[in-house]
Structures are given as C-alpha cells and as structure tokens.
Amino acid sequence: MKYTFPENFKWGSAVWALGTEGCLYKGGRAYTVFDEYYRLQPERFYNQVGPDQTLNWYEDYEKFAELAKDISHNSFRTSILWARLIPDGKHVNQEAVEFYRNMFTAFKKRGMELSIVLYWFDMPLLFEKQGGFTSRSIIDSFVFYCETCFQLFDDLVDIWYVYNEPIVDVMMKYQNDACYPNLMDWNLAHNAVYHMVLAHAKVVEKFKERHYTAKIGTVLNHGYIYPRSQNEADLKAAKDLSLLVQICFEEPLLLGTINNDYLTMIRKYGAKIDILDGDLKCIKQNTVSVLGLNIYSPERVQCRSSLMNPDAPITFDSFSESYIMPGRQMNKDRGWEIYPKVIYDSLMLMKEKYGNPEMRITENGMGIQDEYRFRDKNGQIQDDYRIDYVKQHLIWAHKAIEDGANLVGYNMWSFVDLWSPSHQFKNCYGFYEYDLNTGETKKKKSADWFKEVTENNGFED
C-alpha cells in the first residue's frame, strides 16, 4: 500500500543543544544542572561520559547542516542553551549570538524549516541554586531570556517551542533523582509545574505583544495512557497518572485552564501552590496553537496492588503501577514497549479534546545499544529495525491525518547519535552514527530510506 502525506508536509529530525554543542570551556558558556550533576556523581553516567564529551557543533555545525541536506531534510529542530547565551543571567554573550545566528543560517540556507526550543532540561546552575522553577522568582529571568532570543533570532526561526517535555524536567530534578539537585519533594515538584505553566504564559504574552514573524508553541511528551481494564480502580489509576504527567501541562498550555482535580489531588498530599491575582487570566489568554509531540511508547497502568507505605515519600508513582500487557512487543535495548497505534490515539486525543491544533511529531524513534553489531561488510549499520519502527508509526500517523488530525510534520529522534540525559551514548537513535573517539560520522541505512520518504512525501509498505 502507498502512503502519501499532505502537500508541504515537513520531514526531518531533531537534536538538542546540550547533547551536540560540546565546548563547555569555550565561548563563555556557564554551567548547567547536568554539568553539576556530572561533577558530583560521574559514576552515575554511562561509561562516565559527561555533557562536555559530545559532538562539537559549536565549531563544526556547517558539516552537520550539510549532512541534513544530503538526506533531503526540509525541517530541523534544535535548541538554545540559556547558559551559553546569557551565562551570568543578565548580560548577553555576543560570542553565543554569533554562533547561534551562524548555525541557524546554515540550516535555513539549505531549505529547512527551523524549530528552536528555548528550554530543554538544561537549567543554568546559577538559577537552580536559587530554586530553579520551584521558585516564582525565576519567571522574570526566564521571560527576559526568551524575549532576548526572539529579538536576536526571530528572523531565522520558523517555530519557537518554549519547552521540550517540561514534565520530564520536573521529574528528573524533583521526583526521580535523575538530575541535580536530586530531590524527592512532592511540594517542590508541583511548584515547579505551576511556575513553568505561568512562565510559559508570560513568554507567549510577550511574544504576541511584539508581533514576531514565527509561530510559538511547546513540545510535550505524550505516551497515551492505557488502563489494564475497565475496572474502576484501574480507570482511577490511569486518570491519576494522566493528571500528574499530562493534564498538568496540557490543559493550561492548550486550553488555558488548570484542572481542579489536579489541584485537589496535589494539595491533598501536601503541595502548597500560590496562585496570585492575575495568574489565571494570564494563563487563559496565552495558550499556544502550535504543538510538538514526542511519542515513543504507551503508558500502561493498573491500580496499586497493595497499600502505600505511609512512611514513603509521595511521588508520581504512588498512585498507580505499570502494567505489562501480555504479548507486548519490546525494544529490549531501551526497555520500552513498541506499540505504533499509540501515535494515532495520541493525535486523536489532541484533535478531540484540545481543538486540533497544528501538530508536528517532534520526536519518535528507536534507541539501540552497540549498533556496531549490525554493520555490513562495507561498514554501514543496517538498521532495518529502525526503518520498520518508523514506518509502522508513520502508517498510524497517516491514518490519523485521514481521520482529521492536523498533523503537518514529522521529526525523528535523532538526526545523529548524541549525548542523552538519561543514557549518554548507551542507546543511539541517529540517522547518522557518531564515533565518540574519532569524531567520525557515517550514514546508517535508515538515513537513505528516510531521504526517499522525504523526496516522495511518503512510502510504500
């Protein structure tokens, strides 16, 4: 069967600044929370590879822009490092301005729609030591940073995304012990959620006031939540998880409302959120119309099988537990279920509940460990597993479009193997492989396949 996508559909991939720029000690970059996490606990990083040990895009971006053109990309997504652009929190670093303008130009002049994320897990250490998003005081500094980006780069940017996966940022820092400051604090976590919601609205407000040429939106991760059964307890577990990891951001950013069930739930267990005069009006008036979705795998949940330990800290995992569906297909390297229909169900939810905003799949892909196992005699990685993964998800994306979802683009994660916040270079996702020791970059088989998809605006299966 042939799957043809709508005219002007955008095809590409994505990277993030902290995973590609390198050059921690060049160009005036300040430290981020990940630099501090690595300094304090390097043993927790796979092969002890820190965020300063990655690709050198800071000095070599032109090469990678050309590689993107070589596989016919017509869109690309990356981010700006707050800690590089405004390293002291107050003054703009002109070396960083030159770098970002030159890098963005390198992709734009090769015909790519350019999407830029403003905040992607990489809080400057300076601000995290003051509480990061757990403190309302950071909002003005964040708005200043975002406004600065708009003023400096809007002529080169097609889509601004304020955040990438904001709930993951909250969970890593304040729930899962996966990033500095490595806290397990229910109250701080939900204060961070609220302040990120409010900061987002204030950034959108400033953007609209200045009538910039680009579009503005955000990127949310959405693993559609499937309850084990229609049993009342399983349904409640799914609802609770949805409130904590999806609705807390989706409803305010897309509908301009804060869900009352969410507020009741978090306050019941001790979260103290201060909603000040004017906050709700600002949130209501500054929603987004452009949405990026990172979709990899489903969330399957069931009710907890036993009572919580009353002495245990309250976390997002306290109200449900994972359900292993019999017969599920797995990516054993990453530990994630493969269920391509998740992309359809997620897109249709956005259509039916959130008014069908303009959407792009901003991440979707398959991470594999030790991909050298799959080299052919010519040395190319034969990643047919990745081709099949992407193809099956695109089939469901195509069905969602046929059923009315306003999906206008697909960016695979990732363009090239890069440094990841959770597994560093353990699981690699790229169209291109990257040798951390030699700096050599090679195309995988999937890159040639995706080039054909782009040039044909679809594929046959």
Side-chain angles (χ1 to χ4, degrees):
M1 182 173 175
K2 187 173 183 178
Y3 296 90
T4 300
F5 283 72
E7 188 177 358
N8 298 320
F9 195 83
K10 297 300 183 184
W11 300 97
S13 57
V15 299
W16 69 312
L18 195 63
T20 53
E21 285 184 10
C23 291
L24 169 58
Y25 304 106
K26 295 181 181 179
R29 174 162 101 71
Y31 290 99
T32 71
V33 286
F34 283 102
D35 301 310
E36 182 71 354
Y37 183 29
Y38 181 72
R39 184 185 72 83
L40 294 172
Q41 301 184 71
E43 68 279 1
R44 298 185 68 175
F45 289 66
Y46 184 72
N47 287 338
Q48 297 195 13
V49 174
D52 60 322
Q53 303 171 63
T54 186
L55 294 74
N56 184 12
W57 281 46
Y58 185 74
E59 298 175 328
D60 212 13
Y61 55 82
E62 196 84 32
K63 162 189 167 182
F64 292 100
E66 186 64 23
L67 290 176
K69 179 186 175 184
D70 285 348
I71 57 173
S72 299
H73 272 17
N74 57 38
S75 71
F76 198 81
R77 184 172 77 107
T78 185
S79 62
I80 294 172
L81 266 180
W82 187 359
R84 187 181 292 281
L85 187 67
I86 310 179
D88 67 354
K90 298 178 181 178
H91 302 97
V92 175
N93 173 9
Q94 290 303 319
E95 286 187 54
V97 174
E98 182 179 358
F99 160 62
Y100 286 118
R101 285 201 63 85
N102 290 341
M103 183 181 70
F104 296 168
T105 299
F107 285 90
K108 287 289 292 181
K109 72 183 182 183
R110 289 171 170 86
M112 286 170 246
E113 175 189 77
L114 188 62
S115 301
I116 298 299
V117 176
L118 292 162
Y119 178 74
W120 195 322
F121 309 155
D122 41 30
M123 178 65 68
L125 182 60
L126 165 72
F127 288 117
E128 190 59 51
K129 287 185 176 291
Q130 300 170 23
F133 277 116
T134 70
S135 171
R136 191 182 179 104
S137 65
I138 197 176
I139 293 177
D140 287 345
S141 295
F142 182 68
V143 172
F144 168 70
Y145 157 66
C146 294
E147 280 194 284
T148 301
C149 291
F150 300 151
Q151 294 164 9
L152 291 169
F153 310 120
D154 189 70
D155 60 313
L156 295 171
V157 175
D158 297 292
I159 302 172
W160 291 104
Y161 291 122
V162 180
Y163 298 137
N164 180 83
E165 299 186 355
I167 193 61
V168 175
D169 184 70
V170 171
M171 292 174 72
M172 286 193 301
K173 294 177 175 69
Y174 313 116
Q175 285 285 284
N176 294 349
D177 184 34
C179 182
Y180 181 84
N182 300 93
L183 299 176
M184 299 278 286
D185 192 302
W186 178 260
N187 180 55
L188 290 180
H190 291 289
N191 269 275
V193 168
Y194 179 68
H195 295 142
M196 291 184 84
V197 164
L198 183 59
H200 191 286
K202 289 181 177 293
V203 168
V204 172
E205 182 178 50
K206 293 294 184 182
F207 185 86
K208 292 194 299 186
E209 285 176 358
R210 300 297 180 91
H211 304 289
Y212 290 110
T213 58
K215 299 175 181 179
I216 191 165
T218 208
V219 173
L220 302 174
N221 52 304
H222 192 92
Y224 193 92
I225 298 172
Y226 301 93
R228 171 182 57 178
S229 73
Q230 294 302 299
N231 179 277
E232 182 178 344
D234 285 341
L235 293 175
K236 184 178 185 305
K239 179 184 176 182
D240 287 347
L241 182 62
S242 179
L243 290 170
L244 292 171
V245 303
Q246 293 178 349
I247 288 173
C248 60
F249 279 108
E250 288 175 2
E251 290 196 8
L253 270 55
L254 292 165
L255 299 179
T257 58
I258 296 180
N259 187 282
N260 285 328
D261 288 342
Y262 166 71
L263 289 176
T264 299
M265 180 183 187
I266 65 172
R267 285 169 170 162
K268 177 180 179 180
Y269 294 97
K272 295 178 174 60
I273 308 297
D274 293 324
I275 300 177
L276 305 186
D277 290 345
D279 286 2
L280 296 181
K281 181 179 179 181
C282 182
I283 292 168
K284 183 66 177 178
Q285 294 179 343
N286 294 289
T287 57
V288 300
S289 57
V290 180
L291 176 64
L293 289 170
N294 295 349
I295 303 173
Y296 291 94
S297 60
E299 294 272 4
R300 300 195 188 274
V301 298
Q302 60 188 356
C303 62
R304 297 197 67 85
S305 56
S306 59
L307 295 175
M308 289 186 296
N309 177 355
D311 298 321
I314 300 294
T315 72
F316 292 4
D317 297 323
S318 297
F319 305 91
S320 62
E321 57 187 36
S322 296
Y323 166 63
I324 298 175
M325 183 183 73
R328 65 178 182 168
Q329 181 186 2
M330 290 291 293
N331 172 3
K332 294 180 180 178
D333 287 291
R334 189 63 180 86
W336 284 352
E337 180 183 345
I338 299 173
Y339 186 69
K341 188 174 180 287
V342 67
I343 216 164
Y344 175 86
D345 290 337
S346 296
L347 290 169
M348 297 311 290
L349 174 65
M350 296 300 155
K351 172 180 177 289
E352 294 160 6
K353 180 176 180 180
Y354 295 111
N356 207 19
E358 179 181 310
M359 293 179 281
R360 287 161 179 77
I361 301 300
T362 38
E363 287 182 31
N364 171 246
M366 188 174 193
I368 298 293
Q369 185 175 352
D370 301 333
E371 282 198 291
Y372 57 79
R373 295 174 288 164
F374 304 104
R375 293 192 195 282
D376 64 10
K377 62 182 180 181
N378 297 316
Q380 185 184 52
I381 291 174
Q382 301 296 296
D383 55 341
D384 295 273
Y385 42 84
R386 182 168 290 113
I387 294 171
D388 182 67
Y389 176 99
V390 173
K391 182 185 294 184
Q392 295 308 314
H393 283 77
L394 284 174
I395 287 172
W396 281 105
H398 186 272
K399 178 171 173 51
I401 293 171
E402 287 186 325
D403 290 346
N406 188 16
L407 180 68
V408 300
Y410 176 93
N411 287 75
M412 197 191 84
W413 184 263
S414 59
F415 170 65
V416 64
D417 297 341
L418 44 64
W419 191 89
S420 158
S422 55
H423 292 283
Q424 293 70 63
F425 282 87
K426 180 179 180 181
N427 291 286
C428 292
Y429 287 79
F431 284 130
Y432 288 89
E433 65 169 305
Y434 179 78
D435 189 313
L436 190 59
N437 295 315
T438 66
E440 186 178 12
T441 306
K442 293 182 181 178
K443 265 197 306 187
K444 302 175 189 177
K445 182 179 179 180
S446 59
D448 291 320
W449 174 80
F450 196 75
K451 178 179 181 179
E452 292 182 8
V453 171
T454 302
E455 292 175 350
N456 296 323
N457 198 31
F459 57 90
E460 292 189 13
D461 183 50

